[in-house]
Structures are given as structure tokens and as C-alpha cells.
């Protein structure tokens, strides 16, 4: 996937994340490779998330993370990511996101139901934060 395609993917995940956050719900999207364990049966076949953001959004509302390959295709949903790091004063979703972002090349978009913020994590650090309630 080209850099411009990764950017489109990031933008889509932020838009989907903002819709989820405005409803007071949370989600975790990982672009790249990570160790995980499915929590639900994987009945939805892999699809290009850029072509079906509505399906992506409904899958994101389940417990667990969404794993997307760098090719833009859904790999897995409703998964538990094995955490190696903790995010002080935050819960398991943040710890899982931080651990997943620590893997070289991964991009993590985290939607917090607590404060309705979207956080973008890379290389084990938060690089950007957006507030879903601000214009």
C-alpha cells in the first residue's frame, strides 16, 4: 500500500472513530501486525475497509480490537491484543493500543468512550489527539 493509501485509511478510521466517540462508545483499530486472540467467531470475510466503512463501524462496536492489514483489508475483529505496556491512568483498551503501536510500522487509532477522544498512537507514543465533541 502506498503512503497516500495509508493516509486515506487513517482518515477513514478517524472519521469512523469520531462517529463512534460522539455516541459515547469506544473502539480500537490497529493497522499492521500484532499478536491477538479472537474473542468472537470470525464470520465476516476480509474486505477492503475503504470500500465498506459502515460494516467496519458496526464491527468496531463489538468488544475487542479491529486488525487491518497494511493493504487496507480487514484481518480480524473482536480480538484481544496481548498487552506488554500500560497506559498510566487508562484502561485495557489504551494498554492494548499502546502495546500494538510499539511494533515497528503499526498505526493505532483508539476511540475512548470515557472522554470521547480519538488518539493516534505510533511507536509506543501518542502522536495526536482529537476531541469528538469539538467542532
Amino acid at each position: 500500500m502506498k503512503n497516500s493509501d495509508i493516509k486515506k485509511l487513517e482518515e477513514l478510521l478517524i472519521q469512523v472513530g469520531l462517529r463512534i466517540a460522539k455516541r459515547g462508545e469506544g473502539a480500537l483499530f490497529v493497522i499492521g501486525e500484532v499478536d491477538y486472540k479472537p474473542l468472537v467467531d470470525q464470520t465476516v470475510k476480509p474486505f477492503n475497509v475503504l470500500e465498506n466503512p459502515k460494516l467496519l463501524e458496526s464491527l468496531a462496536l463489538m468488544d475487542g480490537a479491529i486488525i487491518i492489514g497494511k493493504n487496507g483489508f480487514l484481518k480480524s475483529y473482536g480480538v484481544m491484543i496481548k498487552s506488554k505496556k500500560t497506559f498510566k491512568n487508562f484502561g485495557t483498551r489504551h494498554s492494548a493500543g499502546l502495546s500494538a503501536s510499539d511494533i515497528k510500522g503499526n498505526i493505532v487509532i483508539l476511540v475512548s468512550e470515557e472522554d470521547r477522544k480519538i488518539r493516534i498512537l505510533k511507536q509506543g507514543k501518542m502522536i495526536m489527539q482529537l476531541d469528538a465533541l469539538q467542532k
Side-chain angles (χ1 to χ4, degrees), residues 18-88:
L18 286 169
R19 286 196 299 271
I20 292 169
K22 282 178 183 164
R23 291 199 301 263
E25 301 196 60
L28 179 61
F29 301 99
V30 177
I31 304 169
E33 298 288 330
V34 68
D35 280 338
Y36 63 85
K37 186 177 98 181
L39 300 171
V40 297
D41 285 341
Q42 303 291 303
T43 54
V44 177
K45 299 282 180 258
F47 63 94
N48 185 332
V49 300
L50 290 167
E51 293 171 4
N52 200 341
K54 289 258 186 280
L55 178 55
L56 177 68
E57 186 173 339
S58 57
L59 292 173
L61 295 174
M62 288 183 182
D63 272 349
I66 299 264
I67 312 296
I68 300 166
K70 290 197 163 113
N71 61 358
F73 277 76
L74 175 90
K75 281 185 165 178
S76 201
Y77 58 93
V79 304
M80 181 174 73
I81 293 172
K82 293 170 180 68
S83 303
K84 294 171 182 76
K85 290 188 151 191
T86 56
F87 209 131
K88 196 167 163 50

Side-chain angles (χ1 to χ4, degrees), residues 33-35 84 98-107 123-124:
E33 298 288 330
V34 68
D35 280 338
K84 294 171 182 76
L98 194 63
S99 292
S101 77
D102 210 19
I103 298 166
K104 187 168 174 46
N106 280 2
I107 301 164
Q123 297 172 335

Side-chain angles (χ1 to χ4, degrees), residues 1-14:
M1 207 175 202
K2 298 187 304 260
N3 270 351
S4 61
D5 293 336
I6 293 279
K7 276 277 171 252
K8 281 183 198 153
L9 186 54
E10 277 185 56
E11 286 167 17
L12 172 82
L13 295 177
I14 289 167

